[in-house]
Amino acid sequence: MWPAAERPAPAECLRVSMLFNSREFAVFLPVVLAIYYLLPHRGQNRFLVGASCFFYAAWDWRFLAPLLFSTTVDYVCARKMEGLILAGEGPARRKRLLAVSVVSNLGLLGFFKYFNFFCESLQRLLGSLGWKAELWTLQVILPIGISFYTFQALSYTIDVYRGEIHATTHFWDFLLCVIYFPHLVAGPIQRARSLLPQVVFPRKIRQDQILRGVHLIVWGYFQKVYIADNMSSAIAWIFSGPAPNGFYTLIGVYGFAIQIFCDFSGYTDIARGIAKLMGFEFMLNFNLPYFAANPQEFWQRWHISLSTWFRDYLYLPLGGNRQGIPRTCFNLMITMVIAGLWHGAAWHFVLWGFYHGCLLIAHRFLKPALARIRPAAAPLRAAWLCARILFMFQLTCFGWLLFRAPSLTAIAALMGGLCHGFHVNVGFAAGIAMLAAPLLVVQCIQLWSGKLEFLEFAWISAEVRTVVYSTLIYFILFRGGPPRAFIYFQF
Amino acid sequence: MVRGIILARSLFCALLAFATLEALARLDYHIHERAPLWGPWDMDLLLTRDNLGPILRPNSQWGRWKINGWGYRGPEPRPNTVRIVCLGASETFGIGEDENREYPRQLEEQLNQRFGTSSLEVINLGIPSAGFHQIVARIPEILDRYHPAFVTIYPTPASYIWRTEPRWARDLNRTQPSAPLRRPSLWPRIDRRLDRANLRIMGKIAELTVRTLPSSVVAWWRHWLADRQDSDLPLMDRLPEETFGLLREDLAAALESLEEHGIPVVLATHAQRFGEAVTPEERHMLVAWRVYYPPLKEDGFLDMEQRANQLIREAARSHGAVLADAARVVPPGPGDFADFVHFTNRGAEKMASLLAEELMPLMEPTLRKRLKQ
């Protein structure tokens, strides 16, 4: 798009951006909310489109071009497919229109995100075979959130193709579904079937919705600003320099597990909270994933909007588990490898996806045997569950090592580091544990109560809530780590 | 009735929220800066006043700054050493450096290293917020107390802003400059009241505000307040010549007093972050500096520095003192300055090297004599 010399570094792009933890956003949100509450329903929708365009253009106004292109193509294709359904035509022409939508969305994604990756990988492969090939690479920057909005727009056309939803006649409504700023850059990947009705019909904002929204926002910021950013400062050196000894590698991996969860879950909570303040309801994206007892459960709890997207639009269309064990294994593996690649154009993400594919396949084989272990006594049952949760957490953390390491060689070095030199630094470990402690306490309360809104117990008085909120706000404002971009923005 | 209860409860919750924030701020300061949970926690813990002006309290502590039993920053004095006394204000005391990285400490390290000895001792007599005339007034007492073999002087020209006409403002009780250790205040009157209330959360909120707002907004706000600050002095574009006359007199008094006692002196020009012209990106820092000296407009500061340094060079020449031209040797910019005039560790190292270079030729004969003895 522009010469390499002029190309802004990603960090620079983010410096002027409208991150949720930026001062620009601290001005933007109250202004948007104040105007939003004054407008009627249709006016609210138009205004939100404008505000979201402004939000997105704050990174770079050129990012709007692929977004508007994708949205327009999907809107037109969906309208035409709806027309064909109403005219009672067969699926052949609809399929062509769906293909146009799929090709244009994935084409955009492929062009911006994967073109250079595949060219460079091919070049390296040919080079290793002795052929010197000069392949093109493009000097383009990745539009923020492209992986999220292309998937969202795709789900809309696929649902219309399947006849599961009706295509909207209002372009602005569909545009708002895609571009709505709380979920635009890092999800949750909302399905049109749940978001579109909320856009089309007037929204009523209830008091309890506002309170929950505020709760989610405060807790989200605490996770991001206090836990994730401080954790990132504490452990970044472990992954950036030469591989440290086993102790530091281990602590670094555990620390990253906390960091990525708090970073992404924090973002999602803020997004859901902001949406609630405007009368929208977003889907749940995280449901205590580190309390999963097996890989299947983990993916039912981690980044739910993405895992259900892959289930509904890739795994099940491939045949799911209905065509025998080999085919099921193949489907699982292909789904997870593509999910890995979705996270980034690098081989270590592919490896991470492959690793989770292996875990899911292994679990499928072991499931009957595991189901037979049913201790009779309640304490034993609890101990067995704890053991499974702990074991699954170790497996997940090993996956995070593959995910966080900057390259395949770094993975090898870190794994080598894991095997030697456990010189324990109690102070360092205690610091990491102190950062993780609030999360553990809150998640234990959430698990015990079965409610993710941990301050919603009737017996908690307003005074106690005030103290808890004040404490969270203090840590957000005065004890936060150095501001960093959300990890998932790069996807 | 119900509305009244709701209102009362809301008010109580608001008070509770404030109390929680204040309690957390106190705990935070207690854990990270060893501040007492109760009682005052400000610069007054370090500083007191006598009839000559501000002075450091022996055995006091505030933040990371500790004062020894003799009332200066650094280790207790050792017997049988060759003493070098560093005179100055907050730049000498060391505000922007880490512990033991202030230039007098680094000077001691460098000199001992260069001479291969440990018998050289540098006494840091920098007093934050002290005017140069107040330091000069203390010289007889200092000589009597520390018996230095050498003295370095690093004067702060900005303190002379407060000594500008009207003449009665020269009275020592009225010339006390505002304390550079205090954080910049966006609204000094309110801030003073809050200081009296000793609410630590307010300090945190003020810091956060300054950090969060764009620097241009903060600079505009400070500029606006500085222009409207209550002061007996007129708003000045540049310092009048008579004010520099006072600096000339004080330099002469200091150098003559030390000359009388036969103590070799190294006189340093004043280095600052901006050099000869301030860049647009750094302008907000210049405005922040002005917050402490509102009677002088921003552009007057650089003019003041240049004229004062010229006077310092002339004074060194006319009294035969050795000149350490820090204004030329320590380059402007954020690498060497933590704020407008206070050094970073790197800046302090450069200052220490410069002083060591100038001191070495003076010290060699003395040290040789000592070694022979």
Side-chain angles (χ1 to χ4, degrees):
Chain A
M1 301 275 274
W2 46 75
E6 288 174 31
R7 185 173 44 156
E12 281 170 341
C13 290
L14 293 173
R15 209 174 298 141
V16 293
S17 64
M18 199 80 82
L19 292 166
F20 281 0
N21 53 344
S22 68
R23 64 181 174 206
E24 288 83 359
F25 191 74
V27 176
F28 172 82
L29 183 64
V31 171
V32 167
L33 284 175
I35 299 173
Y36 178 83
Y37 290 137
L38 294 175
L39 295 171
H41 171 243
R42 279 279 142 208
Q44 285 179 336
N45 286 357
R46 298 280 157 88
F47 171 69
L48 282 182
V49 170
S52 300
C53 284
F54 177 80
F55 172 87
Y56 197 49
W59 271 280
D60 191 321
W61 62 270
R62 285 170 289 194
F63 289 171
L64 281 173
L67 173 70
L68 292 174
F69 171 76
S70 154
T71 315
T72 311
V73 168
D74 291 330
Y75 171 76
V76 172
C77 288
R79 285 293 309 273
K80 294 209 163 166
M81 281 194 270
E82 177 87 356
L84 291 174
I85 291 169
L86 291 175
E89 288 217 21
R93 282 184 67 194
R94 257 189 295 154
K95 226 173 223 169
R96 257 178 267 150
L97 287 165
L98 180 66
V100 171
S101 166
V102 171
V103 167
S104 46
N105 278 299
L106 296 184
L108 269 182
L109 195 57
F111 174 76
F112 282 106
K113 193 166 175 177
Y114 300 109
F115 185 85
N116 285 353
F117 168 67
F118 284 121
C119 278
E120 283 162 12
S121 297
L122 185 63
Q123 205 162 327
R124 233 173 288 147
L125 180 71
L126 292 175
S128 65
L129 295 174
W131 291 327
K132 208 175 174 186
E134 288 289 322
L135 294 177
W136 278 7
T137 53
L138 297 168
Q139 300 290 349
V140 292
I141 58 164
L142 182 66
I144 306 284
I146 192 169
S147 310
F148 289 91
Y149 70 70
T150 47
F151 269 41
Q152 185 157 304
L154 260 182
S155 75
Y156 170 69
T157 42
I158 296 171
D159 284 353
V160 172
Y161 166 79
R162 290 173 176 172
E164 288 173 4
I165 58 169
H166 292 291
T168 177
T169 52
H170 296 284
F171 176 70
W172 290 101
D173 288 347
F174 177 57
L175 183 59
L176 179 57
C177 268
V178 178
I179 206 173
Y180 183 41
F181 70 87
H183 73 114
L184 173 62
V185 288
I189 304 168
Q190 287 297 127
R191 304 289 178 84
R193 75 182 75 152
S194 88
L195 193 56
L196 203 51
Q198 298 183 55
V199 170
V200 172
F201 299 109
R203 296 171 288 276
K204 276 186 186 159
I205 305 165
R206 301 180 311 274
Q207 196 191 348
D208 68 304
Q209 207 176 13
I210 290 182
L211 289 177
R212 283 178 184 180
V214 170
H215 166 87
L216 281 170
I217 291 170
V218 173
W219 177 238
Y221 272 114
F222 180 81
Q223 287 183 87
K224 165 65 186 160
V225 176
Y226 179 68
I227 303 180
D229 287 351
N230 279 313
M231 190 68 85
S232 171
S233 306
I235 61 164
W237 65 274
I238 293 171
F239 297 97
S240 55
N245 69 27
F247 167 77
Y248 286 112
T249 309
L250 202 62
I251 294 289
V253 172
Y254 288 141
F256 182 68
I258 303 293
Q259 184 202 337
I260 194 167
F261 173 77
C262 287
D263 192 284
F264 196 17
S265 166
Y267 176 90
T268 307
D269 282 350
I270 298 166
R272 290 177 64 220
I274 293 169
K276 274 183 196 291
L277 295 186
M278 297 185 191
F280 287 92
E281 288 293 339
F282 281 178
M283 69 185 293
L284 188 69
N285 217 11
F286 294 91
N287 184 10
L288 308 175
Y290 292 147
F291 286 93
N294 59 58
Q296 191 183 1
E297 201 185 333
F298 176 79
W299 283 104
Q300 285 162 357
R301 291 167 175 263
W302 177 273
H303 203 173
I304 299 166
S305 65
L306 180 74
S307 52
T308 49
W309 195 100
F310 274 112
R311 183 197 63 199
D312 295 346
Y313 300 111
L314 185 63
Y315 177 68
L316 292 179
L318 282 172
N321 59 0
R322 299 184 304 269
Q323 294 168 342
I325 289 174
R327 180 69 194 196
T328 303
C329 293
F330 173 79
N331 292 344
L332 278 172
M333 187 54 80
I334 204 82
T335 305
M336 291 317 295
V337 167
I338 291 175
L341 197 57
W342 177 90
H343 282 82
W347 286 109
H348 65 105
F349 288 122
V350 176
L351 187 62
W352 176 74
F354 177 78
Y355 168 75
H356 272 281
C358 291
L359 289 185
L360 286 167
I361 291 167
H363 173 250
R364 194 157 276 274
F365 283 111
L366 291 172
K367 206 172 166 181
L370 287 170
R372 278 198 290 275
I373 305 173
R374 278 192 188 165
L380 276 180
R381 261 203 312 276
W384 171 234
L385 180 65
C386 285
R388 283 163 64 205
I389 288 172
L390 273 175
F391 184 65
M392 183 59 216
F393 181 65
Q394 307 310 315
L395 292 176
T396 309
C397 285
F398 183 75
W400 291 135
L401 187 148
L402 309 177
F403 189 95
R404 176 61 177 84
S407 62
L408 292 179
T409 41
I411 291 172
L414 284 166
M415 283 169 64
L418 265 178
C419 305
H420 67 81
F422 272 81
H423 305 295
V424 178
N425 179 344
V426 178
F428 184 71
I432 299 291
M434 287 281 280
L435 274 178
L439 181 75
L440 190 67
V441 170
V442 167
Q443 294 216 331
C444 285
I445 295 174
Q446 289 172 325
L447 190 72
W448 166 73
S449 66
K451 263 188 166 185
L452 290 180
E453 284 88 357
F454 66 96
L455 279 176
E456 271 193 15
F457 308 118
W459 53 268
I460 292 184
S461 67
E463 287 76 11
V464 174
R465 278 177 226 209
T466 303
V467 171
V468 175
Y469 278 128
S470 306
T471 307
L472 293 177
I473 288 169
Y474 182 89
F475 279 92
I476 293 166
L477 293 180
F478 304 117
R479 282 276 140 214
R484 284 166 202 277
F486 290 86
I487 295 176
Y488 264 68
F489 273 30
Q490 61 189 291
F491 308 142
Chain B
M1 183 65 184
V2 176
R3 271 191 186 177
I5 291 171
I6 291 172
L7 192 70
R9 206 167 174 204
S10 305
L11 266 173
F12 177 71
C13 283
L15 276 174
L16 192 63
F18 191 80
T20 308
L21 292 174
E22 176 62 24
L24 287 166
R26 280 171 187 270
L27 210 59
D28 200 351
Y29 277 120
H30 181 66
I31 292 168
H32 293 100
E33 296 189 23
R34 285 169 283 172
L37 284 172
W38 306 108
W41 178 244
D42 57 25
M43 196 193 58
D44 292 342
L45 291 174
L46 282 188
L47 281 170
T48 180
R49 294 183 68 82
D50 63 10
N51 57 340
L52 295 178
I55 189 166
L56 292 161
R57 288 177 202 271
N59 298 315
S60 59
Q61 185 185 348
W62 182 52
R64 58 201 165 93
W65 298 298
K66 282 181 211 149
I67 307 303
N68 66 15
W70 283 58
Y72 67 87
R73 190 178 180 195
E76 300 286 332
R78 292 175 282 145
N80 305 321
T81 55
V82 176
R83 281 195 186 140
I84 301 118
V85 158
C86 293
L87 298 178
S90 54
E91 302 93 323
T92 302
F93 177 83
I95 301 282
E97 304 93 335
D98 293 327
E99 189 144 11
N100 291 327
R101 291 292 85 200
E102 59 273 20
Y103 82 75
R105 283 280 68 68
Q106 297 206 49
L107 176 63
E108 184 177 278
E109 275 173 27
Q110 290 192 20
L111 287 174
N112 278 320
Q113 205 173 13
R114 287 179 195 210
F115 285 108
T117 176
S118 60
S119 62
L120 296 172
E121 185 179 30
V122 176
I123 309 277
N124 177 356
L125 292 188
I127 304 173
S129 85
F132 184 55
H133 61 290
Q134 292 164 327
I135 294 162
V136 174
R138 286 191 191 281
I139 287 179
E141 175 197 316
I142 289 166
L143 298 182
D144 201 35
R145 198 167 187 213
Y146 296 102
H147 307 289
F150 306 92
V151 169
T152 70
I153 303 178
Y154 190 47
T156 304
S159 65
Y160 284 86
I161 296 170
W162 298 107
R163 300 192 68 206
T164 309
E165 297 287 8
R167 282 202 173 272
W168 49 260
R170 288 196 198 175
D171 171 57
L172 282 178
N173 291 329
R174 308 205 58 153
T175 55
Q176 181 192 3
S178 60
L181 267 178
R182 288 190 196 280
R183 61 189 148 67
S185 167
L186 285 181
W187 204 307
R189 275 187 214 168
I190 292 180
D191 228 29
R192 271 200 295 275
R193 277 184 199 162
L194 290 172
D195 274 354
R196 245 175 271 145
N198 192 22
L199 291 171
R200 292 188 198 158
I201 189 64
M202 297 314 291
K204 290 245 169 212
I205 291 171
E207 270 171 35
L208 181 74
T209 311
V210 171
R211 215 174 52 224
T212 313
L213 288 175
S215 57
S216 55
V217 174
V218 176
W220 174 85
W221 182 240
R222 282 173 169 158
H223 179 87
W224 189 85
L225 283 169
D227 276 355
R228 278 150 193 81
Q229 183 114 340
D230 270 351
S231 170
D232 298 323
L233 298 175
L235 197 57
M236 296 174 281
D237 289 320
R238 66 200 297 258
L239 281 187
E241 205 48 50
E242 304 89 74
T243 305
F244 287 102
L246 297 174
L247 173 61
R248 194 181 288 115
E249 282 169 21
D250 290 336
L251 283 169
L255 294 171
E256 280 162 16
S257 157
L258 293 165
E259 224 174 319
E260 266 174 34
H261 290 82
I263 299 171
V265 182
V266 174
L267 182 61
T269 54
H270 193 247
Q272 36 83 20
R273 182 189 179 109
F274 311 101
E276 289 181 2
V278 64
T279 59
E281 303 81 51
E282 294 265 277
R283 186 139 192 108
H284 70 100
M285 290 291 292
L286 184 59
V287 182
W289 191 11
R290 192 195 161 196
V291 168
Y292 301 111
Y293 309 97
L296 183 61
K297 287 184 180 171
E298 286 95 40
D299 294 322
F301 277 83
L302 301 188
D303 169 73
M304 173 192 74
E305 290 285 324
Q306 283 170 20
R307 288 159 71 197
N309 283 336
Q310 204 47 48
L311 273 183
I312 292 168
R313 288 182 193 114
E314 280 168 19
R317 208 167 27 240
S318 59
H319 288 86
V322 175
L323 178 75
D325 207 343
R328 286 190 181 139
V329 173
V330 186
D336 294 315
F337 292 93
D339 54 25
F340 8 94
V341 289
H342 300 113
F343 295 117
T344 56
N345 291 350
R346 198 179 83 177
E349 192 186 336
K350 285 182 184 163
M351 182 69 183
S353 302
L354 172 67
L355 290 173
E357 286 292 328
E358 301 301 342
L359 275 168
M360 275 181 69
L362 298 176
M363 293 174 77
E364 261 164 10
T366 315
L367 280 180
R368 222 176 285 137
K369 218 184 281 175
R370 282 250 174 157
L371 287 173
K372 270 182 196 167
Q373 282 170 2

